[in-house]
Amino acid sequence: MFARLLEPNKRDFASLNAQEILSLAVAAEEEDGRIYAAYADKIRETYPASAKVFEGMAAEEDEHRKQLLALYRARFGDKLIPIRREHVRGFMSRKPVWLMQNLSIETIRQQVWEMEEGAYRFYVEAGKQTEDVEVRQLLGDLAMQERQHKETADSLEAEHLGDAAKTEEEEQSHRQFVLTYVQPGLAGLMDGSVSTLAPVFAAAFATGSTWQTFLVGLAASVGAGISMGFTEAASDDGKLTGRGSPIKRGFAAGIMTAIGGLGHTLPYLITDFVSATVIAIIVVLVELWAIAFIQSKYMSTPFWRAVMQVVLGGSLVFAAGILIGNA
């Protein structure tokens, strides 16, 4: 229900018919093929062997596209329905690979695993929705082929990171942990740390009261945490993306959002206003630099670009709070 309220212009996956599913699958294979080709281009100089692997994966995605198109043409003619993943609820939006810089092999491994896990789940769920035997068989075959692609991430690690001691079960668990807890938690931390700056410091400079400021910060942090938690939980049910339980993701995002706001709120439990404000400002600086580091490490953002985005943006929000508080 929440997903429909947050994304009213999207279709439910369960409402798609066979023609729409095949059209969606063609568009998805085309996009994934372009992403693998972009990966190959980005790492060709450093890891030429791995670049060839991604070129091969792009070629396989193109073969999948041809199989889907052949079946679509036989069933529905030559005109595809213009439907894409962003038009359907339950799919996770991905940052375009061409906007990412300095991709590490570890980052690529995680993203490949997420893409192939999502593709596998898509074909499995799509196969359940059609009674057409030939369509169902093709979707099932493609699901198995996408599942095999996930092994590519493990081979990249063994070759380039020397981490052959890790078991497959540990790898699966680690990647699922990143999807279910780390990514929503990081998004929540960034949102909570930045979004609560203005109300906290506006209250501080408007009232001059540490207790009143603490109450405003507490309310803003808890409110933002609840909002972020519900938003994340409603974003998708995890069936198509493999991101795991929406409840777990919601709690991860909500709790970390609240923590991000409470970091610079708690110093106002100190009764001395000047001391509390100085400590809160120091905490803010630490938070913003920590977020920049996290973005650089987990979100494939170059560190200094992350600094410019987060620190500059946070500084503007911080300044807005002080100006409003002194108005």
Side-chain angles (χ1 to χ4, degrees):
M1 182 180 75
F2 287 109
R4 293 183 181 180
L5 292 174
L6 293 172
E7 300 176 319
N9 298 321
K10 292 188 176 184
R11 290 277 300 276
D12 286 324
F13 183 73
S15 72
L16 303 182
N17 58 35
Q19 184 178 9
E20 292 167 330
I21 286 174
L22 288 178
S23 294
L24 177 60
V26 169
E29 292 290 355
E30 289 175 345
E31 181 183 11
D32 288 352
R34 288 193 296 268
I35 290 175
Y36 289 134
Y39 283 155
D41 289 338
K42 282 184 174 291
I43 66 173
R44 195 180 312 281
E45 292 185 6
T46 308
Y47 302 108
S50 296
K52 291 183 179 180
V53 171
F54 286 118
E55 288 174 350
M57 292 177 70
E60 287 188 40
E61 300 300 301
D62 186 56
E63 183 60 33
H64 294 174
R65 180 186 65 85
K66 292 177 181 177
Q67 294 177 52
L68 289 162
L69 283 172
L71 182 55
Y72 184 95
R73 187 176 292 110
R75 288 286 189 272
F76 306 110
D78 294 329
K79 292 186 177 180
L80 289 168
I81 296 174
I83 184 171
R84 286 177 172 44
R85 284 182 283 209
E86 58 265 29
H87 303 149
V88 181
R89 294 189 190 96
F91 284 103
M92 180 173 60
S93 299
R94 286 196 295 266
K95 184 177 180 180
V97 69
W98 46 87
L99 295 181
M100 303 178 189
Q101 302 293 329
N102 302 327
L103 285 173
S104 66
I105 285 292
E106 177 64 26
T107 300
I108 290 176
R109 284 179 57 250
Q110 177 67 28
Q111 292 178 355
V112 168
W113 187 88
E114 291 176 15
M115 288 172 60
E116 296 304 331
E117 177 71 10
Y120 166 72
R121 288 174 176 267
F122 164 71
Y123 284 123
V124 169
E125 294 298 322
K128 296 176 183 178
Q129 291 187 202
T130 178
E131 300 300 324
D132 187 307
V133 175
E134 193 172 359
V135 173
R136 193 165 188 165
Q137 179 178 345
L138 176 58
L139 295 175
D141 291 343
L142 293 176
M144 292 301 101
Q145 292 176 41
E146 297 291 356
R147 194 168 195 175
Q148 292 172 0
H149 278 179
K150 292 194 293 183
E151 297 176 1
T152 300
D154 295 322
S155 67
L156 289 175
E157 179 183 41
E159 180 179 355
H160 298 296
L161 302 179
D163 201 12
K166 287 187 177 180
T167 65
E168 181 178 351
E169 290 78 11
E170 288 174 335
E171 280 302 303
Q172 295 280 357
S173 177
H174 168 72
R175 291 175 185 139
Q176 196 62 58
F177 178 79
V178 170
L179 270 179
T180 305
Y181 295 103
V182 175
Q183 290 182 356
L186 291 180
L189 180 62
M190 287 183 271
D191 182 82
S193 297
V194 175
S195 66
T196 57
L197 286 176
V200 168
F201 287 98
F205 284 89
T207 66
S209 167
T210 58
W211 179 245
Q212 295 296 326
T213 301
F214 172 76
L215 292 179
V216 170
L218 180 63
S221 300
V222 173
I226 293 173
S227 175
M228 191 72 172
F230 273 104
T231 300
E232 176 59 39
S235 63
D236 71 79
D237 59 11
K239 291 182 180 178
L240 297 178
T241 61
R243 298 174 69 207
S245 166
I247 296 177
K248 292 178 181 178
R249 298 194 331 265
F251 272 110
I255 290 171
M256 293 306 293
T257 300
I259 289 174
L262 289 173
H264 45 264
T265 296
L266 290 176
Y268 283 99
L269 287 173
I270 300 171
T271 56
D272 182 71
F273 179 81
V274 174
S275 298
T277 302
V278 170
I279 294 174
I281 291 173
I282 293 173
V283 171
V284 168
L285 294 175
V286 172
E287 287 175 344
L288 295 179
W289 279 93
I291 291 171
F293 172 78
I294 291 170
Q295 275 197 320
S296 175
K297 183 173 179 62
Y298 292 99
M299 301 301 185
S300 305
T301 304
F303 180 73
W304 288 109
R305 180 181 297 178
V307 169
M308 290 299 295
Q309 292 174 347
V310 178
V311 176
L312 180 59
S315 299
L316 291 174
V317 176
F318 172 71
I322 293 178
L323 290 173
I324 293 171
N326 284 314

Coordinates of all heavy atoms in Angstrom, one line a residue, residues 196-217 268 273 277 320-322 324-326:
T196 N 19.0 17.4 9.4 CA 18.6 18.0 10.7 C 19.5 19.1 11.1 O 19.3 19.7 12.2 CB 18.7 16.9 11.8 OG1 20.1 16.3 11.8 CG2 17.7 15.7 11.5
L197 N 20.5 19.5 10.3 CA 21.4 20.6 10.7 C 20.6 21.9 10.8 O 20.8 22.6 11.8 CB 22.5 20.7 9.6 CG 23.6 19.7 9.6 CD1 24.5 20.0 8.4 CD2 24.4 19.7 10.9
A198 N 19.8 22.2 9.8 CA 19.1 23.5 9.8 C 18.1 23.6 11.0 O 18.2 24.7 11.8 CB 18.3 23.7 8.5
P199 N 17.3 22.7 11.3 CA 16.4 22.9 12.5 C 17.1 22.9 13.8 O 16.7 23.7 14.7 CB 15.4 21.7 12.4 CG 16.1 20.7 11.5 CD 16.9 21.5 10.6
V200 N 18.2 22.1 14.0 CA 18.9 22.1 15.2 C 19.6 23.5 15.5 O 19.4 24.1 16.6 CB 19.9 21.0 15.3 CG1 20.9 21.1 16.5 CG2 19.2 19.6 15.3
F201 N 20.3 24.0 14.5 CA 21.0 25.2 14.7 C 20.1 26.4 14.6 O 20.4 27.5 15.3 CB 22.2 25.3 13.8 CG 23.3 24.4 14.2 CD1 23.5 23.1 13.6 CD2 24.2 24.7 15.3 CE1 24.5 22.2 14.0 CE2 25.2 23.8 15.7 CZ 25.3 22.6 15.0
A202 N 19.0 26.3 13.9 CA 18.1 27.4 13.9 C 17.5 27.6 15.3 O 17.3 28.7 15.9 CB 17.0 27.2 12.9
A203 N 17.1 26.4 15.9 CA 16.6 26.4 17.3 C 17.6 26.9 18.3 O 17.3 27.7 19.2 CB 16.1 25.0 17.6
A204 N 18.8 26.5 18.1 CA 19.9 26.9 19.0 C 20.1 28.5 19.1 O 20.1 29.1 20.1 CB 21.2 26.3 18.7
F205 N 20.2 29.1 17.9 CA 20.4 30.5 17.8 C 19.2 31.3 18.0 O 19.3 32.5 18.3 CB 21.1 30.8 16.5 CG 22.6 30.4 16.5 CD1 23.0 29.2 16.1 CD2 23.6 31.3 16.9 CE1 24.3 28.8 16.1 CE2 24.9 30.9 16.9 CZ 25.3 29.7 16.5
A206 N 18.0 30.7 17.8 CA 16.8 31.4 18.0 C 16.4 31.5 19.5 O 15.9 32.5 20.0 CB 15.6 30.8 17.2
T207 N 16.7 30.4 20.2 CA 16.2 30.3 21.6 C 17.4 30.6 22.6 O 17.1 31.1 23.7 CB 15.6 29.0 21.9 OG1 16.6 27.9 21.8 CG2 14.5 28.7 20.9
G208 N 18.6 30.2 22.2 CA 19.7 30.3 23.2 C 19.6 29.3 24.3 O 20.3 29.4 25.3
S209 N 18.6 28.4 24.2 CA 18.4 27.4 25.2 C 18.9 26.0 24.8 O 18.4 25.5 23.7 CB 16.9 27.3 25.6 OG 16.6 26.2 26.3
T210 N 19.7 25.4 25.6 CA 20.2 24.1 25.2 C 19.1 23.0 25.3 O 19.1 22.1 24.4 CB 21.4 23.7 26.1 OG1 21.0 23.7 27.5 CG2 22.6 24.6 25.9
W211 N 18.3 23.1 26.3 CA 17.2 22.1 26.4 C 16.2 22.2 25.3 O 15.8 21.2 24.7 CB 16.5 22.3 27.8 CG 15.4 21.3 28.0 CD1 14.1 21.5 28.1 CD2 15.5 19.9 28.1 NE1 13.4 20.4 28.2 CE2 14.3 19.3 28.2 CE3 16.6 19.0 28.0 CZ2 14.0 17.9 28.4 CZ3 16.4 17.6 28.1 CH2 15.1 17.1 28.3
Q212 N 15.8 23.4 24.9 CA 14.9 23.6 23.8 C 15.5 23.1 22.5 O 14.8 22.5 21.7 CB 14.4 25.1 23.7 CG 13.6 25.6 24.9 CD 12.3 24.9 25.0 OE1 11.7 24.5 24.0 NE2 11.9 24.7 26.3
T213 N 16.8 23.4 22.3 CA 17.5 22.9 21.1 C 17.5 21.4 21.1 O 17.3 20.8 20.0 CB 18.9 23.5 21.1 OG1 18.8 24.9 21.1 CG2 19.6 23.0 19.8
F214 N 17.8 20.8 22.2 CA 17.8 19.3 22.3 C 16.5 18.7 21.9 O 16.4 17.8 21.2 CB 18.2 18.9 23.7 CG 18.1 17.4 23.9 CD1 19.0 16.5 23.4 CD2 17.0 16.9 24.6 CE1 18.9 15.2 23.5 CE2 16.9 15.5 24.8 CZ 17.8 14.6 24.2
L215 N 15.4 19.3 22.4 CA 14.1 18.8 22.1 C 13.8 18.9 20.6 O 13.2 18.0 20.0 CB 13.0 19.5 22.9 CG 13.0 19.3 24.4 CD1 11.9 20.1 25.1 CD2 12.8 17.8 24.7
V216 N 14.1 20.1 20.0 CA 13.9 20.2 18.6 C 14.8 19.2 17.8 O 14.3 18.6 16.8 CB 14.3 21.7 18.1 CG1 14.3 21.8 16.6 CG2 13.3 22.7 18.7
G217 N 16.0 19.0 18.1 CA 16.9 18.1 17.5 C 16.4 16.7 17.6 O 16.4 15.9 16.7
Y268 N 23.7 19.2 23.1 CA 22.9 20.2 23.8 C 22.3 19.7 25.1 O 21.5 20.4 25.7 CB 21.8 20.7 22.8 CG 22.4 21.7 21.8 CD1 22.8 21.3 20.5 CD2 22.7 23.0 22.2 CE1 23.4 22.2 19.6 CE2 23.2 23.9 21.3 CZ 23.6 23.5 20.0 OH 24.2 24.4 19.1
F273 N 25.6 26.9 26.9 CA 25.2 27.1 25.5 C 26.4 27.1 24.6 O 26.5 26.5 23.6 CB 24.3 28.3 25.3 CG 23.9 28.5 23.9 CD1 22.9 27.8 23.3 CD2 24.7 29.4 23.1 CE1 22.5 28.1 22.0 CE2 24.3 29.6 21.7 CZ 23.2 28.9 21.2
T277 N 27.4 24.3 21.8 CA 27.4 24.7 20.4 C 28.7 24.4 19.8 O 28.8 23.9 18.6 CB 27.0 26.2 20.2 OG1 25.7 26.4 20.8 CG2 27.0 26.5 18.8
A320 N 22.3 28.0 6.7 CA 20.9 28.3 6.6 C 20.2 28.3 8.0 O 19.4 29.2 8.4 CB 20.1 27.4 5.6
G321 N 20.6 27.3 8.8 CA 20.0 27.1 10.1 C 20.4 28.3 11.0 O 19.6 28.9 11.7
I322 N 21.7 28.7 10.9 CA 22.2 29.8 11.7 C 21.5 31.1 11.3 O 21.1 31.9 12.2 CB 23.7 29.9 11.6 CG1 24.4 28.7 12.2 CG2 24.2 31.2 12.3 CD1 25.9 28.7 12.1
I324 N 18.6 31.6 9.8 CA 17.2 31.5 10.2 C 17.1 31.7 11.7 O 16.2 32.5 12.2 CB 16.6 30.2 9.8 CG1 16.5 30.2 8.2 CG2 15.1 30.1 10.4 CD1 16.1 28.8 7.7
G325 N 18.0 31.1 12.5 CA 17.9 31.3 13.9 C 18.2 32.7 14.4 O 17.7 33.1 15.4
N326 N 19.0 33.4 13.6 CA 19.3 34.8 14.0 C 18.4 35.8 13.4 O 18.6 37.0 13.6 CB 20.8 35.1 13.6 CG 21.8 34.4 14.5 OD1 21.7 34.5 15.7 ND2 22.8 33.8 13.9

